[in-house]
Amino acid sequence: MAELERLNRTLVGAIVRNEMPATGLVVESAVCARQRHRIGRLYEIWLAAGLELGNHTHSHRDFNRVPLEEYQEDVIAGERTLAPLLARRGERLRYFRYPFLRSGTELRKKRAFEDFLRRRGYVNAPVTIDNDEYIYAAAYAGALRRRDAGLAKHIAGDYIRYMDSIFAFYEKLSRDTLGYELPQILLLHVNQLNADHLDRLTEMTRRRGYELISMERALRDKAYGRVDSYIGSRGLSWLQRWALDDGKKPPVHPEVPEWVMELYRTR
């Protein structure tokens, strides 16, 4: 737990340094629940920095594979520590995000869950810039464990290159689908790769002309008012969903190079 606290402090420090109004989506796992006072300290690292936290379910289960009532219980369980903590600060949970971005293979179940979210006061936190950053993060962590600083540096450098290509891909998809570039919502995870290299990542986004804004501000764009009609097994970016709604076959975002995949598989 001490290592997890250190990681979160390093990452939040980088977020604050780069003036990034990030929203952390929390998975409160069964392991975390047994150390609730320590997990509360993790949450406080984010909240004390003025950042927002939302619900990513208790156990990060796949909505496509879990019965509706059981999944709703998992969402409620994800509030157990965080909701009272926010209430003591005069705040409340606002955002929910689907694990794996999987939001249903059956329309009736999907709409029933969306009604559940509305009743509990949640706004879905969509993602427009999806990516496979977690693969780089696992490869990077493996290099650090082996104390291979040269490899870790090489992985981090290619991560920035890869993310630059991801941004270019979704910018084009936004123009092709909507006719303009909307305020993008980027998916990232809490990991050592981002803790160590968020400065470089945000520098890349600013070179591309981005201003870093809050989830709340991004969601004011009219595109986010579109009804999510996507039904399918894959977790897709909302830009890909909207393209499907318009009868288009959306392209797949750039792949992680094979040498990074091999490091991921053998980590």
Side-chain angles (χ1 to χ4, degrees):
M1 185 61 72
E3 182 66 17
L4 192 56
E5 288 185 28
R6 184 200 63 77
L7 170 61
N8 275 266
R9 289 188 189 282
T10 302
L11 179 60
V12 167
I15 290 171
V16 171
R17 184 167 60 250
N18 287 282
E19 300 180 340
M20 177 186 289
T23 299
L25 283 303
V26 174
V27 177
E28 185 173 302
S29 71
V31 173
C32 295
R34 288 197 291 269
Q35 304 182 60
R36 198 172 307 282
H37 66 291
R38 301 292 295 275
I39 293 303
R41 280 164 49 180
L42 286 182
Y43 296 164
E44 287 287 2
I45 293 170
W46 288 73
L47 296 173
L51 303 173
E52 186 159 5
L53 294 175
N55 190 341
H56 199 35
T57 75
H58 178 264
S59 52
H60 206 261
R61 300 176 73 184
D62 184 344
F63 181 73
N64 294 353
R65 297 175 178 270
V66 179
L68 177 62
E69 294 77 11
E70 189 176 331
Y71 196 84
Q72 291 174 169
E73 290 171 3
D74 201 55
V75 173
I76 294 170
E79 303 170 354
R80 194 174 297 145
T81 303
L82 188 52
L85 181 61
L86 290 174
R88 289 195 293 273
R89 302 171 68 95
E91 301 171 9
R92 64 177 181 84
L93 281 165
R94 291 199 296 170
Y95 296 113
F96 168 85
R97 176 169 292 159
Y98 292 93
F100 315 107
L101 303 184
R102 293 176 188 162
S103 57
T105 58
E106 308 163 35
L107 186 59
R108 184 174 179 180
K109 177 184 175 185
K110 179 186 179 81
R111 294 295 183 240
F113 182 68
E114 290 170 347
D115 288 342
F116 164 83
L117 290 179
R118 281 190 288 270
R119 290 196 303 272
R120 295 195 74 81
Y122 284 110
V123 173
N124 178 51
V127 169
T128 57
I129 300 183
D130 190 18
N131 57 83
D132 295 322
E133 151 256 31
Y134 70 95
I135 295 175
Y136 276 92
Y140 181 80
L144 292 180
R145 282 194 301 272
R146 294 189 296 273
R147 299 184 180 180
D148 191 335
L151 179 59
K153 181 179 179 181
H154 184 46
I155 293 167
D158 198 68
Y159 170 55
I160 302 303
R161 177 208 60 78
Y162 165 78
M163 291 299 287
D164 194 40
S165 71
I166 286 288
F167 271 70
F169 171 87
Y170 282 109
E171 288 162 7
K172 182 177 186 303
L173 184 56
S174 180
R175 293 191 300 270
D176 291 346
T177 303
L178 303 174
Y180 67 101
E181 290 187 31
L182 85 168
Q184 302 272 12
I185 299 177
L186 170 65
L187 172 63
L188 293 175
H189 294 89
V190 174
N191 53 52
Q192 195 64 52
L193 176 62
N194 285 323
D196 291 346
H197 299 284
L198 193 68
D199 292 340
R200 296 174 67 187
L201 184 62
T202 55
E203 180 185 358
M204 179 274 289
T205 66
R206 289 187 169 113
R207 284 199 309 269
R208 298 194 68 87
Y210 283 87
E211 173 191 1
L212 303 180
I213 63 174
S214 67
M215 176 97 68
E216 180 180 34
R217 184 173 162 192
L219 290 175
R220 294 173 190 165
D221 188 89
K222 62 182 185 231
Y224 293 108
R226 293 177 59 149
V227 175
D228 176 19
S229 301
Y230 171 66
I231 296 295
S233 59
R234 296 171 57 199
L236 296 179
S237 156
W238 264 248
L239 280 167
Q240 292 167 315
R241 294 166 190 241
W242 297 330
L244 285 170
D245 285 348
D246 293 342
K248 303 171 185 174
K249 183 178 180 181
V252 178
H253 67 235
E255 294 184 351
V256 174
E258 181 56 32
W259 67 269
V260 180
M261 286 300 307
E262 185 61 26
L263 290 169
Y264 172 74
R265 288 190 287 263
T266 59
R267 68 193 187 280

